[in-house]
Amino acid sequence: MGDIVLGYDSVNDYKNDTSYIDSVVGRVANRIGGAQFTLNGAHYKLIPNEGKNMLHGGPVGFSDVVWKVNKYKKDGYAPSIVFAYDSYDGEEGFPGALRVTVTYTLYPGNRLTVRMKAKALNKATPVNLAQHTYWNLGNHNSGDILSEQVQIFASHYTPVDSQLIPTGKFATVKGTPYDFLKPHTVGSRINKLENGYDINYVIDGADGKLKKAAVVKDKKSGRVMELFTNQAGVQFYTANFLKDVRGKGGYVYESHGALCLETQAFPDSVNHPNFPSVIVYPGKEYKHVMVFKFSFSS
């Protein structure tokens, strides 16, 4: 047993966090180029918070608001907790009111399921929620994750420009440091990238049903994490910009001290008609499911 998630000891630390550690990000996760988009003939200007672009929902995204606890089941077959947030029309520049719930459930067999739902109440709006957990299977205070083995079931990724905004194209992972179709350690090719991994993968065979997206193994501890999702993409991020972050028990987190596997729709989908749409219309519901399955391998 161990603590395999980076985090903080106090609510205040989470309030002051700037790395989205363990948060739910939205209304639209990842980046929106130019912090703007056009929908049904109306042009929406959002609030930029990364240069001229928007990241993870803006300066006060879903990671910076107070959620209500709707339900809490502490014991029994599948303990669970349901968080809810009502996002108002115009929040961070987004159109329409949105009702959001996120349910965490622990099932027997070391499975954690996260279910995200959102309903557009009065206007069509983009929705792309993500779970921004920082994982380190060796323990949150065990140093970097460069020796952890990762497999990502994706033959393609969405290339980005210098500001990490997708170009709108799809590229094969073959012959690149992004190829994790077979397991590789994180550190085996990371030096071929400027800062580390921060890229969206196109999950093979994604069709809206649960598919295996990734597997992470920590050889030292023997811990294995399998990730399943109904989303089309997964952002692989190696905590490139963590620096001197004082976390649980006073341990200081540094660059590559964790990895994130954020299942999601493709970044900047609102500005790329060739990407699957992230628009949710009134009367329709956004559903995002992820399953984290933990096991041991000697």
Side-chain angles (χ1 to χ4, degrees):
M1 298 297 284
D3 186 347
I4 58 170
V5 171
L6 274 59
Y8 299 109
D9 287 329
S10 77
V11 171
N12 269 345
D13 287 339
Y14 281 104
K15 280 163 88 170
N16 295 324
D17 167 68
T18 56
S19 303
Y20 305 97
I21 286 182
D22 306 338
S23 56
V24 171
V25 291
R27 175 178 307 198
V28 174
N30 218 300
R31 293 169 176 88
I32 295 178
Q36 59 186 334
F37 67 94
T38 300
L39 174 60
N40 298 334
H43 187 70
Y44 294 95
K45 286 190 173 178
L46 309 170
I47 304 173
N49 62 328
E50 191 184 61
K52 62 179 186 177
N53 306 311
M54 175 182 266
L55 174 64
H56 292 329
V60 188
F62 288 2
S63 55
D64 288 305
V65 297
V66 176
W67 295 61
K68 285 180 182 166
V69 175
N70 265 10
K71 277 184 194 166
Y72 177 44
K73 185 184 163 210
K74 193 178 176 183
D75 304 302
Y77 169 77
S80 63
I81 190 163
V82 183
F83 293 99
Y85 179 64
D86 286 347
S87 179
Y88 58 86
D89 185 0
E91 186 168 9
E92 301 301 283
F94 288 105
L98 190 72
R99 182 155 289 161
V100 187
T101 61
V102 180
T103 305
Y104 299 87
T105 310
L106 276 172
Y107 288 101
N110 301 315
R111 282 180 301 141
L112 170 67
T113 298
V114 183
R115 290 183 183 88
M116 299 175 164
K117 292 182 180 179
K119 277 185 179 170
L121 299 184
N122 50 11
K123 290 179 191 171
T125 186
V127 180
N128 182 20
L129 307 179
Q131 177 67 42
H132 209 300
T133 303
Y134 281 71
W135 302 97
N136 184 328
L137 294 192
N139 279 336
H140 80 97
N141 56 357
S142 65
D144 67 56
I145 43 79
L146 299 178
S147 64
E148 293 198 354
Q149 207 175 59
V150 170
Q151 185 173 18
I152 300 173
F153 300 95
S155 307
H156 294 85
Y157 67 98
T158 49
V160 292
D161 64 18
S162 61
Q163 295 177 25
L164 300 178
I165 304 296
T167 62
K169 294 180 176 157
F170 298 95
T172 178
V173 298
K174 250 184 207 160
T176 76
Y178 296 115
D179 187 349
F180 284 92
L181 284 165
K182 288 180 177 166
H184 291 279
T185 60
V186 176
S188 57
R189 298 157 300 171
I190 201 168
N191 61 351
K192 293 182 179 175
L193 304 170
E194 192 179 345
N195 295 305
Y197 291 94
D198 193 2
I199 198 76
N200 171 67
Y201 284 85
V202 180
I203 298 167
D204 288 342
D207 59 1
K209 293 174 184 162
L210 269 189
K211 289 275 188 297
K212 189 184 276 196
V215 181
V216 184
K217 288 183 183 177
D218 180 67
K219 284 197 166 170
K220 219 179 199 175
S221 65
R223 292 177 190 136
V224 180
M225 180 177 83
E226 295 168 271
L227 169 59
F228 303 80
T229 187
N230 68 342
Q231 294 297 291
V234 58
Q235 186 87 6
F236 178 42
Y237 175 54
T238 47
N240 309 328
F241 304 110
L242 269 192
K243 190 176 185 329
D244 301 335
V245 174
R246 190 170 293 279
K248 296 175 188 173
Y251 187 79
V252 178
Y253 304 133
E254 300 290 359
S255 178
H256 311 316
L259 58 84
C260 302
L261 287 160
E262 307 154 57
T263 57
Q264 60 178 6
F266 302 160
D268 200 28
S269 289
V270 287
N271 292 310
H272 297 288
N274 59 320
F275 285 3
S277 173
V278 293
I279 306 304
V280 176
Y281 289 87
K284 300 286 182 187
E285 190 174 48
Y286 164 92
K287 289 180 183 172
H288 179 174
V289 182
M290 62 201 91
V291 179
F292 299 92
K293 188 180 174 190
F294 299 93
S295 57
F296 174 81
S297 153
S298 54

